Amino acid sequence: MNEKISVIIPAYNVEKYVVECLDSIHNQTYKNIEIVVVDDGSTDNTFKIVEDYSKNTTNVKLAYQQNGGVCAARNKGLDLATGDYIMFVDADDYLPFDAVEILYKDLINNDADMAIGRMLSDKDADDISNTLQIWQGKEGLVNGLKDNPVTYGCCSKLYKKSLIEDLRFEEGKKVHEDGYFVFLAFIKLPTIVVRDKCTYIYRCNTESASHAPFSDKFFDVLYFEEKKRNVIKEKFPEIMEMAYNKLVKAHLTMLHLFCKTKDKKYKKDIKKSICTVRKFSKYFIPAIKGEKKFFLIVKFGGYWLYRRLYWIKYKNQM
């Protein structure tokens, strides 16, 4: 276990959490870890805290950039990383003490290109099965199009550097950009090992993007889904129907997000999303709890009532 693993951490105004994140990586049972922190123009004490932390250890590499967003920070981290393997961790999250070793052993023992574990929130209990699956050929891509939760996002995954060294996050985008990065890795048809065990803990943060008011940045959801669909149409037309599942999911996501705004300028967008869900409804594959219920509400004309009830329930947050 001497191969170097680079853990890339984009950091922006996380002075309350970054030490816990760094500690969780520094204290891993797997020891040959390079921690690459890219401060994305923080206005709090994040940079100073990481700088002080790096003085007491030899494996923290700290870089600073003017605020350019998480994509730019991760890309800079990829440019700086010297490890044979890559992981991504957000600076307000943390890892179980043996996460890196588990993913590394799974990847090596199964001659895989990517190892995936489970993400749990800091409020969840780790009661999952610890079972193992191997995805080969198009299986990773198909499972992504089926919206398997373990395929979400770039974290809780260990990548061979050779798999992703030519990939970068699309800068300027703020939502679902990490999911598209993983999609780009999947279309290379890697061998993937998936363990049903928690290897990543994300913080339930009320200041996160998922709790933010509606803004046009959320249209990135549809932007990336359109890009995925174009790739599938060109390279894998035989699974095009599965891409329509993701299209339905993207518009369902938008309809949830539209509930956060009363701005009438989005009325046409709302109608378009409802029409899209209905048009491609036969391709819908539910993947997470509650998803089918909302799909049926939209499909059978109940969205506007749902939206009204949402406003009543959350009126103090609108």
Side-chain angles (χ1 to χ4, degrees):
M1 294 189 1
N2 285 324
E3 293 180 292
K4 186 190 294 184
I5 295 174
S6 296
V7 180
I8 296 171
I9 306 174
Y12 177 73
N13 288 355
V14 284
E15 60 182 9
K16 293 188 293 185
Y17 310 118
V18 69
V19 170
E20 183 178 15
C21 177
L22 292 170
D23 280 346
S24 77
I25 300 167
H26 183 66
N27 296 324
Q28 287 289 305
T29 55
Y30 190 96
K31 296 303 181 184
N32 193 5
I33 295 177
E34 171 188 66
I35 305 174
V36 182
V37 182
V38 180
D39 186 290
D40 186 38
S42 293
T43 57
D44 65 0
N45 292 315
T46 297
F47 185 87
K48 181 65 165 57
I49 290 169
V50 179
E51 186 178 44
D52 289 344
Y53 193 99
S54 68
K55 293 175 181 177
N56 298 313
T57 181
T58 60
N59 67 334
V60 176
K61 182 183 292 185
L62 174 61
Y64 178 87
Q65 67 177 24
Q66 294 295 322
N67 183 248
V70 66
C71 291
R74 287 184 180 135
N75 286 342
K76 188 164 189 173
L78 283 168
D79 293 339
L80 294 172
T82 61
D84 303 293
Y85 304 88
I86 304 290
M87 287 185 70
F88 298 99
V89 177
D90 290 341
D92 52 352
D93 300 332
Y94 54 97
L95 302 182
F97 72 98
D98 56 353
V100 175
E101 182 177 354
I102 288 169
L103 293 174
Y104 175 77
K105 285 183 174 179
D106 281 348
L107 191 151
I108 296 301
N109 292 340
N110 295 282
D111 194 24
D113 304 293
M114 182 191 304
I116 301 177
R118 282 282 298 277
M119 298 177 69
L120 293 180
S121 82
D122 57 349
K123 300 185 183 303
D124 288 332
D126 185 358
D127 58 355
I128 43 187
S129 65
N130 200 26
T131 54
L132 197 69
Q133 298 179 60
I134 307 294
W135 297 345
Q136 294 182 326
K138 284 187 285 192
E139 286 184 287
L141 179 59
V142 167
N143 278 293
L145 295 176
K146 286 181 177 179
D147 212 33
N148 186 317
V150 303
T151 65
Y152 299 167
C154 63
C155 298
S156 196
K157 297 171 175 67
L158 178 65
Y159 310 82
K160 272 188 179 177
K161 189 175 185 179
S162 58
L163 176 67
I164 62 169
E165 61 186 347
D166 62 334
L167 303 182
R168 290 298 182 270
F169 295 85
E170 186 165 339
E171 297 184 21
K173 299 299 181 181
K174 299 180 180 179
V175 181
H176 283 210
E177 77 295 330
D178 56 341
Y180 187 67
F181 179 90
V182 175
F183 170 80
L184 292 177
F186 283 168
I187 64 174
K188 294 185 175 186
L189 308 183
T191 297
I192 303 168
V193 56
V194 182
R195 183 173 292 279
D196 190 31
K197 181 176 177 61
C198 178
T199 56
Y200 191 96
I201 301 169
Y202 66 90
R203 195 178 302 277
C204 292
N205 185 355
T206 57
E207 298 174 3
S208 68
S210 62
H211 292 86
F214 187 86
S215 73
D216 285 352
K217 71 181 181 182
F218 290 116
F219 283 99
D220 289 352
V221 173
L222 301 182
Y223 169 82
F224 282 118
E225 218 47 63
E226 180 70 23
K227 293 194 72 171
K228 289 180 187 177
R229 207 160 64 258
N230 288 339
V231 172
I232 296 299
K233 184 177 181 180
E234 177 186 352
K235 296 188 175 184
F236 306 99
E238 68 278 11
I239 58 172
M240 189 65 195
E241 289 188 356
M242 291 185 182
Y244 289 130
N245 172 58
K246 288 291 288 181
L247 175 66
V248 171
K249 299 290 186 74
H251 282 279
L252 287 173
T253 297
M254 289 303 299
L255 288 167
H256 265 300
L257 293 167
F258 283 134
C259 287
K260 295 184 174 189
T261 178
K262 292 185 178 182
D263 195 325
K264 293 181 180 179
K265 74 177 183 179
Y266 298 112
K267 193 169 184 178
K268 287 184 178 179
D269 296 300
I270 292 171
K271 288 182 177 179
K272 181 179 179 181
S273 286
I274 292 172
C275 288
T276 303
V277 170
R278 290 175 176 171
K279 180 179 179 180
F280 296 99
S281 61
K282 69 179 180 179
Y283 302 110
F284 173 73
I285 305 170
I288 59 175
K289 186 177 180 181
E291 196 173 44
K292 186 175 181 179
K293 181 179 179 180
F294 185 60
F295 164 75
L296 293 173
I297 288 171
V298 174
K299 182 180 178 180
F300 293 110
Y303 176 75
W304 296 105
L305 175 59
Y306 176 92
R307 180 178 166 85
R308 174 63 61 182
L309 293 174
Y310 183 97
W311 288 349
I312 293 171
K313 184 175 181 179
Y314 298 105
K315 62 183 178 180
N316 293 329
Q317 301 176 29
M318 298 290 285

